[in-house]
Structure formats: structure tokens, C-alpha cells
Amino acid sequence: MLILVRKRLGDLLVGAELITEEQLAATLADKSPDEKLGDALLREGYITEQQLLDVLKYQLNIPQVDLYQYSIDKDVVQLVPKELAKRHNLMPIRVEGNRLFVAMADPMDYFAIEELRIATGLQINPGIATKDSIFRTISKYYDLQESIEEVMGDYAPEESIDETGITDEDSPIVRLVNQVIANAVAQKASDIHFDPQERELRVRYRVDGVLRTERSLPKYMQGMLIARIKIISNLNITENRVPQDGRVKITIQDRSVDIRVSTLPSIYGEKVVMRILDLGANLNDVDKLGFTEHNLVTFKSMIEKPNGIVLITGPTGSGKSSTLYAALNRLNREEVNITTIEDPVEYQLEGINQVQVREEIGMTFASGLRSILRQDPDIVMIGEIRDVETAQIAVRASLTGHLVLSTLHTNSAVDALSRLMDMGVEPFLLSSSLNGVVAQRLVRKICPDCSQKVGPTERELIMFSNANLVVSEVTRGKGCSSCGMTGYRGRVAIHEVLPIDEMIRNLIVNTGTRREILSYVRKKEMKFLLDDGLLKVSQGLTTTEEVLRVVSSD
């Protein structure tokens, strides 16, 4: 086995015809001295992680380990020090006789295997697993479990909250909260829910838009956990009768993470939701938002006009803010003055003036927008148009030479027109000011590590036919440790883009009905959300189930 482990990864990948000699040479020349070749090839996009695993699995006769299906015994975990597991990105699985079976991200790391053999006194049988699954398993069995056991050991069920226990950075309850947050970030969760139940406190993560239970903690931990979250969020720890909102910025594994915290009294205690805003996420390029080529060109033309209103619509959690920030990043140049008013300010953008709404002191969207227009802006971004006053000021701003970007809660692009008129915006002003509307949803992407081609169902064939698509096979994820057996990993946006042309302006002025506008855009062959979703299904990015989960098929 040790002879196999010493084989060079580059030679294996070239031999398997996954990369060329030229790509190998270029990657070796560009990678930093401390970066592993596999990581560099993944970063360059020459191979996928599953391709890397397949080569090592077959060429070296090393089994692939699905950590998601393992329930690892505590005694096995204690055999390997946490520092060693983290340093070499490995996870002990089980012991048979004098052999320790270990999942490794790099089973060719001879020095890690030798160090593990010396530390445990056992012969090492390496298996291969994805880096993400090993990282999540280490966090679960070493960090999170260790913190839970410390709390259970240090605090009795009848014990009251001790102020030192929730403020001392080395106390078990503080470490437990930190580990719950770190584990959520590792799983790329967007929200953490602390749900108080009658006999337990349920911790749930929202990953790729879907909630799943991560842990159920003893009921007596509830008060201590929520008190700690309130302290780091600068909330009133003694007030539990009314909702509170706070914010905290922390650094996890050299990544800056901003967290919005909301508390809500319930019959079993305070429910807490933490919205995770990853400040290191790369969301600043409109070319990477999932627009089709035609929609991308249309969207760029809408935001690059010198004045007018561009609206992004969709429900909460549909990625509207990310699209707005990407648009602002594209428009952000030295010669333009960009000012935003948001509630809350989610991501800080360099070179842009960002204003936080504070309704308790009278700083509303409308009052803030009036002040912004006296600051000589070229481009104004309004976090959300919630009322007629804000809508009317936005319209006036666009008619006086400003470009206004904002969001609106409607189900479709066409619905935004009637919604604004229902709010009280005059049709002739709306027709003159609006550049276009984008409706958006987020669907889960098929996990690349377990994707497989299958034949479409009869229902799918009918849907593709109605969308004028010819599809002979579709892609589905069968579930693996990389995606938590869901078959999905990551999300992609689907869009419908409605540019306001002369005909639509006339329909608005003449108070054309929603049906008339829909009839016109259908004749223009505008792609609706369902059409764009089915196109992404045909491209192997998502599934029809996902598209129908977020879009009505009407």
C-alpha cells in the first residue's frame, strides 16, 4: 500500500486522460509552494472533485468512503487527536483488530499516514472522501459534540444562567454557540433556526433554501444559548416578551461573516433565527448570476441607461439583493456617485455610499431617499419599495436624470406594473420612468459528484414540448456525502426579464390590463420563469421538481 501511496498524482491524472501534460505543467508552475496539486487542479477547473476521487479509487485500489452514512463511535474518535485530524483533513471511522480505517481527502499523503500510525499504534487503512464531507464530520464529531458534552458536564438541568458562563470566551456555552455557527458556515447554510419545543431545543440549518434539523439539544440549554446569542448581538438579555433584532460580525476560518439576528417570543420560549451573510462570497459579477445570454444582454442594457427605474422582483430569499449588488458592482466607477438606502445593509461595497434605514428615529426609505437626492447622486439603490411615498419619490428621481435600482415583492415581472399602479403611481409617470423588470427565483443545482443521466418522465416530456424544447435525457442526483444525500448542492437563479418598450408604455398609459400585457409579451416570445427553469433542466443544472417547487406552472 505504501508503494501505491507514493505515486505521483499528476502522472495518474495524465494517465487517466483527465488532464494534459500541458495543463499539468501550467498548474505546477502557477500553484503556490504550500498548495497541493489536487487543490490547484480543482481551482483551475481542469478536473472535478469526483473525477479526482475516481482516479485515486481505481488506480490505487483505495475505497471511497461515504461519511454521511457512518455513525462513528466516540471511542474511535478519541483515538485520533483533533489537531492531527484537522491538520491532515482526515477522519477516523472504525477499528478492526489492529487496523484503523480512516477517511482522507488525500490518501496519497504518506507523511500523514505515518504520523497517524505512530500516534495510534495501529496499522492505517486509508479511504478517500471529499474535503467538504470530512470537514463537516470533523466539525460534528470533534468540535460540536465536544462542546455539547462540556455543557452537559458543567451545567445541571436545574442550574440557572450564570453571567460568567455566557460571557467568558472559554466557557462551554460560548464554545457551543461558536461551533453551531461555524458548522453552519461549513455547510454553506444561509440561516440557523433555534426552535424551542416543549421538551427540547431544535437546531435547524437552511441549506440551499431547504430547512433540515441538525441537532436536538436538551431543553435546559435553551436559556443559556439564547442569552449568549443576545449578548453577542447587543440585544437586551432581560427582555423576552417582545421581538428584537440585532447584528454581529465574526471571523470563521479567516472568513468574515456578518450575521443578522432576530428573536420572536413563542409559547415554548424565544425562537431565534440567524441569517448568515458571507462577506467573502463572490456575488459581484452579473455574468455569474445564471442569466441566459439573451437575458444577460437585456439586463445589462437596462442598468446601463443613464436614468430610469430597474426593478428586481420575487419573494424573500430569491436572491434579489445579490442581483442588485452585482449590478451596482458593474456600475461602480470613479466618475459616478452611487448611494444606497437599505434595511439592513447586507454587504459593504467599497466606493459606494450605503445608508441604513432606522425607522425608530425617522430614517425611513422615503425620508432617506429625499436626503440622498440632495447629495448629487448618479445612481440610487433603494433596498425595497414598500409604500406609495417611496415609489413616487423613486419615479421622480428617475425622471430627473437618476438611475434607480430597487426590489419589489411580486410573483412575476408583469405583476410589478399593476402593483405599482395599485400603490398609487400614476400610469403616465410609470410608463415614462420604468426601464425594465426582472423576476427571479433560486433553484437547487444538481450535485456534480452524484449526477446521472436518466430518461425524462412522461410529464416532463409534455412540459418540454410546451416549452418548445427537445430533450432526450435529464440529469438527477442520486445522493452522496458531498450533498448530504439530497442530490443537490448549490443554487442557481432562474429569471424572466421584461424590458419596457414603446408598446408596453402605451398599454400602461391606457391602463392596459395584466392580461393584455401578458398577451403582448407572449407574442414577443418573452421567456417566463418556467421557461427559463426548463431550459436549465435541459442543460443538466437542475430538475423539474425544483423548478415547480418555486414557480407556478400556470
Side-chain angles (χ1 to χ4, degrees), residues 425-435 500-501 504-506 508-509:
V425 178
E426 292 290 345
F428 73 94
L429 292 175
L430 182 62
S431 68
S432 303
S433 59
L434 199 59
N435 290 350
I500 306 300
D501 61 16
I504 295 178
R505 294 187 199 282
N506 290 335
I508 294 172
V509 170

Side-chain angles (χ1 to χ4, degrees), residues 350-524:
E350 189 174 348
I352 291 177
N353 311 291
Q354 295 175 273
V355 179
Q356 170 72 52
V357 167
R358 296 181 63 190
E359 293 190 358
E360 68 274 12
I361 61 170
M363 173 63 89
T364 63
F365 277 116
S367 63
L369 189 51
R370 285 195 194 92
S371 299
I372 286 170
L373 293 176
R374 293 193 288 269
Q375 292 278 316
D376 185 32
D378 297 294
I379 300 169
V380 178
M381 191 269 268
I382 308 166
E384 183 185 342
I385 294 179
R386 296 177 180 170
D387 54 63
V388 63
E389 188 179 9
T390 306
Q392 289 173 339
I393 298 170
V395 167
R396 286 201 296 272
S398 69
L399 293 173
T400 52
H402 305 90
L403 179 66
V404 179
L405 308 179
S406 189
T407 70
L408 196 65
H409 284 285
T410 63
N411 290 326
S412 71
V414 172
D415 286 341
L417 308 180
S418 52
R419 173 73 189 280
L420 288 169
M421 288 188 281
D422 290 342
M423 287 173 70
V425 178
E426 292 290 345
F428 73 94
L429 292 175
L430 182 62
S431 68
S432 303
S433 59
L434 199 59
N435 290 350
V437 185
V438 176
Q440 178 171 309
R441 300 288 190 279
L442 291 177
V443 293
R444 290 182 291 173
K445 292 168 66 178
I446 295 166
C447 174
D449 290 339
C450 62
S451 64
Q452 56 184 4
K453 299 288 186 181
V454 296
T457 64
E458 192 172 326
R459 184 193 186 195
E460 286 174 327
L461 287 172
I462 294 171
M463 292 173 65
F464 289 131
S465 176
N466 292 337
N468 296 319
L469 292 170
V470 178
V471 179
S472 59
E473 58 182 13
V474 294
T475 308
R476 299 193 190 282
K478 60 183 178 181
C480 65
S481 58
S482 297
C483 60
M485 302 305 291
T486 63
Y488 299 98
R489 196 173 72 195
R491 289 191 288 178
V492 66
I494 58 175
H495 306 91
E496 61 184 38
V497 180
L498 173 65
I500 306 300
D501 61 16
E502 205 57 43
M503 184 63 188
I504 295 178
R505 294 187 199 282
N506 290 335
L507 287 170
I508 294 172
V509 170
N510 296 321
T511 59
T513 64
R514 177 180 183 273
R515 182 175 296 178
E516 288 175 324
I517 297 173
L518 277 173
S519 176
Y520 169 71
V521 297
R522 283 197 180 102
K523 289 176 185 174
K524 294 276 289 184

Side-chain angles (χ1 to χ4, degrees), residues 38 46 78 150-151 167 175 184 193 231 253 269 279 325 339-340 345 361 382 388 419 451 455 463 474 488 499 537:
Y46 292 142
Q78 291 175 345
E150 279 186 293
V151 174
T167 55
R175 285 205 295 272
H193 288 240
I231 283 177
Q253 294 184 334
L279 303 180
Y325 282 120
T339 306
T340 75
V345 175
I361 61 170
I382 308 166
V388 63
R419 173 73 189 280
S451 64
M463 292 173 65
V474 294
Y488 299 98
V537 173

Side-chain angles (χ1 to χ4, degrees), residues 286-287 289 291-305 310-312 323-324 326-328 330 405 436-438 440 495 497 499:
V286 293
D287 295 322
L289 294 177
F291 283 106
T292 62
E293 188 175 344
H294 177 266
N295 282 346
L296 181 61
V297 171
T298 306
F299 180 62
K300 285 180 179 177
S301 71
M302 284 159 40
I303 64 173
E304 287 170 356
K305 290 181 179 178
V310 178
L311 294 174
I312 315 293
T323 302
L324 275 183
L328 287 178
R330 179 177 178 81
L405 308 179
V437 185
V438 176
Q440 178 171 309
H495 306 91
V497 180

Side-chain angles (χ1 to χ4, degrees), residues 196 230 239-244 262-272:
K230 284 184 171 182
E239 180 59 77
N240 56 17
R241 300 163 302 171
V242 297
Q244 298 186 67
S262 173
T263 71
L264 182 71
S266 74
I267 59 172
Y268 296 125
E270 285 182 282
K271 173 180 168 62
V272 177

